[in-house]
């Protein structure tokens, strides 16, 4: 059974790795060449056009549900409307260039096409719903401007290329690497250790299985790419393609942390509409796949998949890509769990408790926000301890305000 588990894991890794690496590269280029401020300038209205624009911007961006929060909150505080911010929050974590490519590799073109379409439709529906719930007096409110996190954007073309590679293959891998690894391991465990007829009953009851999938997917955290191998393994065990699609869309888009932060920043009504839009959109698309669309579009070659998993028939190119991806994942995990603190503590050193950080993307956002405060000499942020160590002559209120502006909470230790 151990060899079957390793074979299944290697098969999924080899199928996904070339597409994931391509997605990381494209994501890095988007990050380095398109500024976040440009997004905010175009998202200040509550019109349907603005909502569609926000959703379209979010679809290709490979940010997880926690990584998108600081960006969306900064956009909101720079003038983006609640409607546009909500649409961006819904579409961004559900899909991205990396997850679209990986979906194509494991689940086929129909899933890969439906995923961004569903994210766009759900985001537009949710954004319009949030906008319609706003009172007339709120529609034209000017969002309170806060000092945003300074972006260290290189001025030269070569500098931007280097920044692209660093963001795509270091920062972004650090953001989703752990969850991608967990997703692959869970998928391999399901494929090998869950009996083939385990889901036979649920497979004949798509609506019941979709509700169960929502109950499991909404509270948990899983990135858009990490959810793909889990969905594949569940389909191979008998669940309907529509149920797997519900997991693909609802899992990455919502979790307790994002709901809490959205509720605080944009109000409980907006947060409720945000969550409801994700649930309704995922269910509607899942039912459409199972009942309205040709089943052969979403057919997964079970025999071919298991054959590849058992016999390790891997191409040289995919093997090289897998080796590179594994190396990047190992490096990201080392960076994530080994974060040496500075040993220099002076009378000007102060520690702050940071809440709301879930990934290296959040960690970097907090670090940049604090570093931009006047008087800060050095800053170290420990993701797992939830601590920021700041050295310099600074105003504590300014530090707390800067962290809050980045979408997190801070207090003196």
């Amino acid at each position: 059974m151990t060899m079957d588990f390793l074979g299944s894991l290697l098969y999924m890794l080899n199928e996904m790795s070339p597409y994931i690496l391509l997605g990381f590269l494209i994501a890095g280029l988007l990050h380095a060449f398109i500024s976040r401020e440009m997004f905010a300038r175009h998202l200040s209205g509550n019109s349907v056009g603005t909502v569609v624009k926000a959703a379209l911007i979010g679809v290709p961006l490979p940010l997880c549900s926690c990584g998108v929060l600081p960006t969306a909150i900064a956009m909101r505080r720079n003038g983006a409307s609640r409607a546009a911010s909500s649409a961006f929050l819904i579409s961004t974590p559900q899909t991205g260039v990396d997850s679209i490519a990986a979906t194509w590799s494991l689940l086929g073109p129909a899933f890969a096409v439906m995923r961004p379409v569903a994210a766009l439709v759900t985001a537009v529906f949710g954004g319009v719903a949030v906008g319609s719930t706003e009172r007339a007096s709120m529609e034209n409110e000017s969002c309170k401007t806060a000092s945003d996190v300074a972006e260290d954007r290189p001025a030269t073309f070569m500098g931007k290329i280097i920044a692209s590679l660093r963001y795509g293959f270091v920062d972004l891998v650090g953001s989703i690497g752990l969850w991608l690894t967990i997703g692959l391991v869970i998928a391999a465990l399901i494929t090998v250790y869950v009996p083939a007829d385990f889901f036979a009953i649920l497979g004949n009851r798509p609506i019941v299985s979709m509700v169960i999938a929502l109950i499991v997917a909404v509270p948990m955290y899983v990135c858009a790419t990490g959810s793909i191998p889990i969905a594949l393994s569940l389909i191979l065990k008998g669940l309907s393609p529509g149920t797997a699609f519900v997991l693909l869309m609802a899992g990455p888009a919502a979790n307790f942390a994002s709901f809490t932060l959205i509720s605080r920043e944009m109000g409980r009504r907006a947060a409720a509409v945000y969550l409801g839009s994700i649930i309704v959109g995922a269910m509607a698309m899942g039912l459409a796949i199972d009942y309205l669309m040709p089943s052969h579009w979403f057919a997964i070659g079970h025999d071919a998949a298991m054959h590849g998993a058992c016999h390790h028939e891997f191409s040289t190119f995919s093997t090289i890509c897998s080796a590179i991806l594994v190396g990047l994942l190992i490096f990201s995990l080392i960076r994530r769990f080994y974060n040496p603190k500075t040993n220099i503590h002076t009378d000007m050193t102060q520690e702050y408790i940071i809440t709301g950080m879930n990934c290296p993307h959040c960690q970097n956002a907090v670090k940049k926000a604090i570093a931009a405060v006047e008087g800060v000499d050095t800053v170290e942020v420990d993701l797992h301890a939830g601590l920021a160590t700041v050295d310099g002559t600074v105003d504590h209120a300014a530090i707390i305000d800067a962290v809050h502006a980045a979408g997190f909470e801070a207090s003196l230790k």
Side-chain angles (χ1 to χ4, degrees):
M1 295 293 283
T2 301
M3 293 305 297
D4 291 338
F5 167 76
L6 292 176
S8 178
L9 183 64
L10 288 174
Y11 165 74
M12 293 182 183
L13 179 65
N14 268 36
E15 287 294 303
M16 293 175 67
S17 57
Y19 298 92
I20 294 176
L21 293 177
L22 175 62
F24 285 152
L25 175 61
I26 296 173
L29 294 173
L30 288 173
H31 174 80
F33 286 90
I34 302 178
S35 68
R36 186 170 57 190
E37 288 78 5
M38 186 183 73
F39 295 156
R41 285 199 303 269
H42 295 279
L43 303 177
S44 58
N46 278 331
S47 66
V48 175
T50 299
V51 170
V52 172
K53 190 185 299 183
L56 285 172
I57 291 173
V59 166
L61 297 182
L63 292 176
C64 57
S65 59
C66 67
V68 70
L69 290 173
T71 302
I73 290 171
M75 290 166 58
R76 166 69 183 148
R77 294 180 177 181
N78 282 335
S81 65
R82 282 188 175 92
S85 300
S86 298
F88 183 82
L89 278 167
I90 294 171
S91 69
T92 304
Q94 288 188 353
T95 186
V97 289
D98 57 332
S99 62
I100 293 172
T103 301
W104 189 297
S105 69
L106 277 189
L107 300 178
F111 273 104
V113 172
M114 282 297 297
R115 199 169 188 183
V117 170
L120 178 62
V121 172
T122 304
V124 172
F125 171 77
V128 171
V130 169
S132 66
T133 61
E134 295 297 321
R135 293 175 300 179
S137 60
M138 297 287 290
E139 290 182 356
N140 296 320
E141 73 170 346
S142 296
C143 184
K144 183 179 179 181
T145 303
S147 57
D148 191 16
V149 178
E151 288 187 295
D152 299 326
R153 192 174 300 279
T156 65
F157 177 81
M158 186 55 64
K160 290 182 178 180
I161 293 297
I162 294 173
S164 300
L165 297 177
R166 176 175 178 81
Y167 178 80
F169 294 105
V170 178
D171 295 341
L172 187 57
V173 175
S175 294
I176 73 170
L178 175 63
W179 306 109
L180 174 60
T181 303
I182 291 174
L184 286 168
V185 171
I186 291 175
L189 288 172
I190 293 173
T191 301
V192 175
Y193 292 103
V194 175
D197 59 349
F198 184 82
F199 292 105
I201 297 178
L202 286 180
N204 296 325
R205 295 173 173 82
I207 296 180
V208 176
S209 61
M210 287 179 193
V211 172
I212 295 175
L214 283 171
I215 293 173
V216 174
V218 169
M220 75 176 183
Y221 179 95
V222 61
C223 73
T225 303
S227 64
I228 299 169
I230 299 176
L232 171 64
S233 62
L234 291 176
I235 292 175
L236 295 178
K237 291 300 180 179
L239 282 185
S240 69
T243 301
F245 195 81
V246 169
L247 175 66
L248 284 174
M249 304 310 294
N255 58 58
F256 285 140
S258 61
F259 180 82
T260 301
L261 189 55
I262 294 168
S263 180
R264 187 197 73 192
E265 290 293 324
M266 295 193 292
R268 293 182 181 179
R269 181 183 298 177
V273 173
Y274 155 83
L275 183 59
S277 300
I278 293 171
I279 293 174
V280 172
M283 283 286 293
M285 290 297 178
L287 291 172
I289 288 174
D290 281 345
Y291 291 103
L292 300 179
M293 299 182 184
S295 59
H296 66 270
W297 286 7
F298 303 94
I300 303 295
H302 181 277
D303 294 337
M306 296 308 296
H307 178 79
C310 295
H311 292 83
H312 308 277
E313 295 179 355
F314 306 137
S315 69
T316 302
F317 177 72
S318 64
T319 301
I320 293 174
C321 290
S322 295
I324 294 173
L325 181 58
V326 168
L328 292 172
L329 290 173
I330 292 174
F331 178 68
S332 72
L333 293 176
I334 292 174
R335 291 181 73 233
R336 184 181 182 91
F337 292 105
Y338 178 71
N339 183 30
K341 298 180 181 179
T342 177
N343 292 322
I344 301 175
H345 284 77
T346 68
D347 293 337
M348 296 185 297
T349 301
Q350 182 63 57
E351 289 186 327
Y352 296 84
I353 300 173
I354 311 296
T355 56
M357 294 189 300
N358 295 300
C359 67
H361 183 93
C362 304
Q363 179 185 19
N364 291 335
V366 171
K367 186 173 183 178
K368 287 183 179 181
I370 296 176
V373 176
E374 184 178 357
V376 173
D377 294 329
T378 62
V379 56
E380 294 292 335
V381 178
D382 189 324
L383 174 63
H384 297 284
L387 289 176
T389 303
V390 181
D391 186 69
T393 305
V394 297
D395 180 1
H396 297 312
I399 296 291
I400 293 173
D401 288 344
V403 174
H404 179 74
F408 307 90
E409 294 295 333
S411 61
L412 278 171
K413 184 178 180 183

